[in-house]
Each structure stands twice: as structure tokens, then as C-alpha cells.
Amino acid sequence: MSFIIKCLDCGHAAPYFPTSVNCPRCSSQWRQAEYDYDTVAKSLVLQLPSRPFDLWRYRELLPVRSPNPAIRLGEGGTPLIQAINLGMMLGCPNLFIKDERQGPTASFKDRQAAVTIAALKEAGITEMVVASTGNVAISYSAYAARAGIKLWAFVTSLVPAVKMREIALYGSQVIKVTGSYDQAKQVAAEFARQRGLYLDMGARTITSIEAMKTIAFEIAEQVTAALGPVSGNNGKPYPIWRTPDWYIQSISGGMGPLGLAKGFAELQRMNLIDRIPAIAAIQAEGCAPMVQAWKDGKEVATPVTSPRTHIETLATGDPGRTYTLLRKWVNETHGAFESVSDEEAFRAMHVLAKMEGISAEPAAAVAFAGLFKLVRAGVIKPTDVVVVNCTGHTMPAEPFVLGDNWARNVVLPSRVMEETPQEGLLAALNRVAPDRFPNIAIVDDSREARILIRRILQSQGDFKIFEAESGQEALKLIERELPDLIVLDLMMPEMDGFAVLDALRAKPETANIPVIVATAKELTAEEKNRLKGQIQALMQKGDFLSDEFLEEVRSLIK
Ligand SMILES: *Cc1c(COP(=O)(O)O)cnc(C)c1O
Ligand SMILES: [Zn+2]
């Protein structure tokens, strides 16, 4: 491991001391590690195949002398999961999820904590201070506990109580600050100054950026394993790794994407990859200073003093210089800054859980809501390879996003039980399920389309769903089940959607069942005329994620 710490302002190069945070020449706190890339490039690819898949497999590119096994918790090495259902829904088949929920404390902050605490332990630190919107304090607490470092965690009072309890469980001192995250940071800094304690500096901490960049390394290795290396090897004895077209992440202070950009840039410098992915950084609308500044073409962001989002994890109101640095990467990679509302994030959270079996915390869901938005806007193309960072798990946030009725209790009436246990049990079970879920018939000759529509509907509520794959089958089914709503394809062999509509409207029992036509076909004026007055809504396929479709379903079913 040979590297120096280079000042971003004056270029001065100094050796690394984890506890000294200022440039010795100009006292800037904006510095980063630089390695002997030519030497590392020669050995790393040869070493990798024999190393375990965790963050330390890239140790030549990390500022820790000898990673102490006694502090490790299995950090890094999270899976890259292909999101087949979501990809199908969005028309982006090469969609992957970097599942950072699978870190030791269930967020990608575990990388930051693992590397930072390892470096601080090497430097002899025994007590430290951190300000956090929750997840940093949880991760740092876990690693500090292993390293025997006492941690003072300053969190805002809006951090969910479950998260605060977890921080305390690890033995950290939790200090609740009633105010914004930016204010909590100030209080923490003052406390550290008064006591002469080491203070974590967020994105200015060398190890933070260094730890986050390992996500880029892993993504490049994993996308290469999934899709094969880039053809041609640049005159090198090893193949060029593949990178995705997009890296999407929800951001608060923006440390993650800054680290990833540095990681990809290092791989490029070592000729291991030939390009850096476009970076999409997604903020919560109620606290989106970077998105605002980027859209206004500004190099410095105006701080948001009172964030208006329920997603506390993302409530950095003043990104400071991180924005300016990140903006450069976003522009250079032709990426994007985007914001989404809390509601869009909560909806994305449900869609992700119900379609992919991945339960993400609202902060992570922000990235998925951003993905939906960028795909819909045509910024992300159907052929693009996309990696979304699923940054954290939902558990602590559940009570907040699920209503009271997420589970139903079975209470067995004891008296009835004694007399007729069978009946009592059945009666109780009947009470668990409501009398009747709304019934929906999906009529489409394409099996994929039916599965897709079924999944989308199921991700939005409880429905009983019937499917028919032809016009004739549809008529029989509809007459028998009398559904509350029909989702109808127009282009089907033999009996098409128009003929089905005519037949339905001709019979009094089915004449008034609402119909949403879902079609991939551009309709002619004459065809549109034929539908007029016959259907409740017309949806182009590929449009299913639009609020319109779901609003339509909800309003028609009432
Ligand atoms: C910290 C955090 C973010 C934001 O990360 P930054 O890159 O620091 O802006 C997003 N999601 C989760 C779950 C987080 O813990
Ligand atoms: Zn300097």
C-alpha cells in the first residue's frame, strides 16, 4: 500500500494520518487519497481471483495498513441482483440492484464505518463524535463497539425511535438534537471541539470516500460477470471490465456517488474499464438543494434551512462543497440530478417490495422513484444497463409507512371454540379476509403482458384477478364472474378487443362494467371513435407506472 493525501485546493501531497484533517500547507479540509495506480494495476487483477468477495479484496486501494480481523463484520461484497420484473415493467431489461441492505447493519454506511473505524483504530483513537440522520450512527456504533471506541452520536429528534434505540444498544451515547441535521452537525462539532475529541467530517473524511468507492469496484466486477467483459482488451493481458450505463442513488450529502465516481475513475486510470457510468443522484423533493442548483445551472447550492420531507435520512439541507464536486461528475458523465416526492418514494417502496421481494427503507426507495421518473422521461433508454443502489433496509421505518391494517389478528372466540371448534376456527379465519376483494379481469393474448399487469395491480392493493387470453374466453369469464373492472387488449387474433367490447355492451349484465383499454397500438381516428363512450380509459402499454393508470383503477373500482 503506497499512497499520498493530495489537497484538492493547493495540490500539496502529504502522508496520511487519520486524525489530521487539514492540508499542512493551505489548511483546506478537502483532500483525497491517491495511489500508485500503475503498480496496483499490475498486481490487483492477479490477486483478485484468490480473495474473498468483500470490501478488503481491494485493500491496495484502501488507506488502512493492516485490516484488523477483530473489527470486521463481513462488510462489502453485497450481491448485484437482476430486477427482472421491474425491468420488464419499465421496458429496461438490463436493470440491476446493488443490494446494500445486506451489509452488517443493513445500509451502505457499513462500508464507511468499516474503513473509517479500522483507520482510526490503527491511529489509536479511543473516543469519537459523529452527527447523523440515523444510519451512519448505527453503522459507526456497531464497528466502534467491536473496536472498543466510545462513540457520541448526535442525531436529530426526527430520527425514528427504533434507530435511536439501536444506536444505544451498541453502547453509544445518543444525543438528540431538536433541530435540523445541519444544526445537529454544528452542535456535534462544538461538543467535539470542547472535549478535544475526534469528529467525523462526513464527505471530507478521507476514509468515507475511499470506502464508498469499493461499491464501484464491485459493480464493475459483477456487471462483467453478468454480461461479460467488453470486447477488446486495450493491449493488456486481461479483458476490460464492463460498467453500467447508469448508476442511480438516493442522496443526502452526496458522499456515496462522490466515492463511486472516484472508484470508477481509478479503474479507468488503471485501464480496467473504458468508461464511467452516468451518475443519477436523486433527492427528496422537500430537501433538494442540489437538484435545484443543478437545474438552475449554479455551481453552488443554496441551502434548504427547513427540510420538508418525512424521509429524515435524506435531510441534508446544506450540501456545501460536495455539491460542487458532485456536479462536476454528473455533468462529465452526462448524468442527472432529480427529485421525487415522499409519496412517489413510498409508492416505489411498495412496488419494489411486491415486484422484487426487496424491502427498502424510504430513503432507498427514493432512488427507485427517481429511476421510474428518468425512464418515463426517456433520459434512461430501454437498452441501457442500469444499476440502482438499494442503500438501506426498511425495518425501522415500517410503522411509519404502513397503515394500522397491515396485519390482521386472528382472535378465536373461546366459547364458540369449545362447542364447535371447526366452525369457530373457520369463522375466525373468515374474519381475517374481507368479504370480497375487488375483482379485475385482464384480457390479453400475451402471457407476459398479463403477468405484468397482474403484478402492477397487485403491487398497488388487494385484488382478485382473473385472466383470459382470447376474446371468446374473456366473454365466458366475464359473464360468469361479473368483475368490477376489465383491463382489455385490443389486438388479439380471431376476436379482437373491439368485438369483445361490442359483445359486452350488448348484454345488460355486462353493459356497465368499466373497461380500461391497454394497447401497444397507435390508434387511428376511426378506431378512437369506435371506443368513444364505450370505455373509461385508454392506456398505451409502457404507461402503466403513470399515476393516471393507477388513479383510474382506483376510481373505477369504488
Ligand atoms: C446515507 C444514506 C443515503 C444518502 O447517502 P449520501 O451518498 O451520503 O448522500 C441514502 N440512503 C440511505 C439508506 C442512507 O443511509
Ligand atoms: Zn492545500
Side-chain angles (χ1 to χ4, degrees), residues 106-109 112 133 135-136 163 212 249-258 290 313-314 316 361 363-364 390-393:
S107 88
F108 77 144
K109 299 301 192 317
Q112 180 189 350
T133 54
N135 290 346
V136 163
K163 289 197 179 186
M212 289 304 184
Q249 195 207 295
S250 51
I251 60 161
S252 184
M255 173 197 307
L258 260 191
M290 303 205 228
T313 305
L314 302 184
T316 301
E361 75 163 88
C390 187
T391 48
H393 198 280

Side-chain angles (χ1 to χ4, degrees), residues 374-396:
L374 293 172
V375 169
R376 229 183 284 156
V379 176
I380 293 176
K381 306 277 182 298
T383 50
D384 287 347
V385 178
V386 180
V387 172
V388 184
N389 188 337
C390 187
T391 48
H393 198 280
T394 188
M395 280 173 309

Side-chain angles (χ1 to χ4, degrees), residues 471-527:
Q472 294 88 336
E473 195 193 325
L475 288 180
K476 270 188 234 145
L477 174 86
I478 291 166
E479 276 170 34
R480 191 179 69 229
E481 301 292 343
L482 297 175
D484 301 285
L485 174 70
I486 300 166
V487 180
L488 179 65
D489 181 23
L490 286 181
M491 305 307 294
M492 292 181 289
E494 291 167 46
M495 186 179 200
D496 68 9
F498 293 105
V500 172
L501 262 180
D502 289 341
L504 289 177
R505 295 317 182 212
K507 289 202 168 186
E509 313 85 76
T510 56
N512 295 317
I513 300 178
V515 172
I516 295 179
V517 163
T519 179
K521 185 180 182 312
E522 270 303 322
L523 296 185
T524 64
E526 192 216 336
E527 286 169 328

